[in-house]
Amino acid sequence: HITLQNPRLDAMLPDGSRLHASLPPVSAGEITIRKFRARPFSPKELSDLGTTTAEALAFISLIIQGDNSVIIGGNTGSGKTTLLNALFSFVPANERIIIAEETPEINIPHPHQLRLVANRDMNITLKDLMYDTLRMRPDRMIVGEVRNKIEFEALFDVLLAGQARGSYATIHAQGAFEAVQRMKSFGVNDMDLNAVDCL
């Protein structure tokens, strides 16, 4: 529902598309729909499209198969989630995957997945969801996008707990150096940064 008393709306449509709408005084009135591909891009498709190279994908596949934790950085709309979805084709299909997100975007083929979605109206944050996963025994843990100090603290608590064979997240950053600087600015210390195997 969107009303003059609550003039902003974030929602998900039945086909998985994201909807944002707003009314005055927030805007003159707008609706934005962000559609997603029903079937995620495969690593081969990303290589064929020139998004990345086959060599880079081969290297990352070894990192994923080696049970390492990976953080993917990039600008808005740069393909962070698209890459993360594609990389999960390197993860065995029988593994238990826990996904914690503010907005459902992760699309992986694994049958044994559990998706947790934050809910502002009920005051359930991404941080709350990440702490919940500590009791769920996942083989792999995905955090859709980490944006603030509290979420980084929770992510690193998950990484340092060693609860999964690999943990994965996306962040806004233009490169590895900027990603590290952003994590440090949110209070992640140098020793804890070692919990991230690949950036």
Side-chain angles (χ1 to χ4, degrees):
H1 298 281
I2 186 167
T3 65
L4 293 175
Q5 289 77 31
N6 186 18
R8 296 167 51 232
L9 173 67
D10 281 310
M12 189 170 75
L13 299 177
D15 69 352
S17 300
R18 284 171 47 184
L19 179 140
H20 180 272
S22 61
L23 297 171
V26 174
S27 73
E30 62 82 25
I31 296 176
T32 303
I33 297 175
R34 185 171 174 194
K35 297 182 78 63
F36 295 97
R37 199 171 195 242
R39 182 185 57 79
F41 284 98
S42 70
K44 182 180 184 319
E45 287 173 311
L46 292 181
S47 176
D48 290 346
L49 291 167
T51 304
T52 186
T53 65
E55 292 80 9
L57 288 167
F59 176 73
I60 296 172
S61 76
L62 293 174
I63 291 169
I64 300 283
Q65 293 173 52
D67 300 342
N68 294 295
S69 293
V70 178
I71 293 181
I72 298 172
N75 291 329
T76 301
S78 63
K80 299 179 297 292
T81 303
T82 297
L83 178 60
L84 184 58
N85 285 335
L87 294 180
F88 261 72
S89 65
F90 301 129
V91 173
N94 64 344
E95 292 195 4
R96 174 176 164 83
I97 316 294
I98 305 292
I99 303 165
E101 298 180 278
E102 283 203 335
T103 305
E105 292 182 342
I106 303 296
N107 184 2
I108 58 174
H110 297 69
H112 197 146
Q113 62 175 273
L114 173 62
R115 183 180 310 275
L116 305 171
V117 181
N119 186 311
R120 274 190 226 154
D121 296 337
M122 299 177 75
N123 202 25
I124 299 170
T125 67
L126 190 59
K127 176 185 175 185
D128 297 327
L129 299 179
M130 283 190 266
Y131 284 133
D132 285 348
T133 68
L134 293 170
R135 294 176 285 281
M136 296 182 180
R137 298 182 54 93
D139 291 314
R140 311 273 177 160
M141 171 71 203
I142 302 174
V143 180
E145 187 172 336
V146 184
R147 295 185 178 112
N148 59 46
K149 179 177 173 49
I150 293 170
E151 291 171 1
F152 273 104
E153 288 172 0
L155 172 64
F156 275 84
D157 284 347
V158 168
L159 287 168
L160 294 168
Q163 62 150 345
R165 297 201 342 246
S167 294
Y168 311 87
T170 64
I171 65 169
H172 284 279
Q174 299 216 21
F177 178 77
E178 183 180 313
V180 169
Q181 294 307 112
R182 178 156 293 153
M183 288 186 270
K184 286 182 175 182
S185 76
F186 286 128
V188 178
N189 65 48
D190 288 337
M191 189 166 74
D192 290 350
L193 281 172
N194 292 324
V196 179
D197 299 302
C198 181
L199 184 57

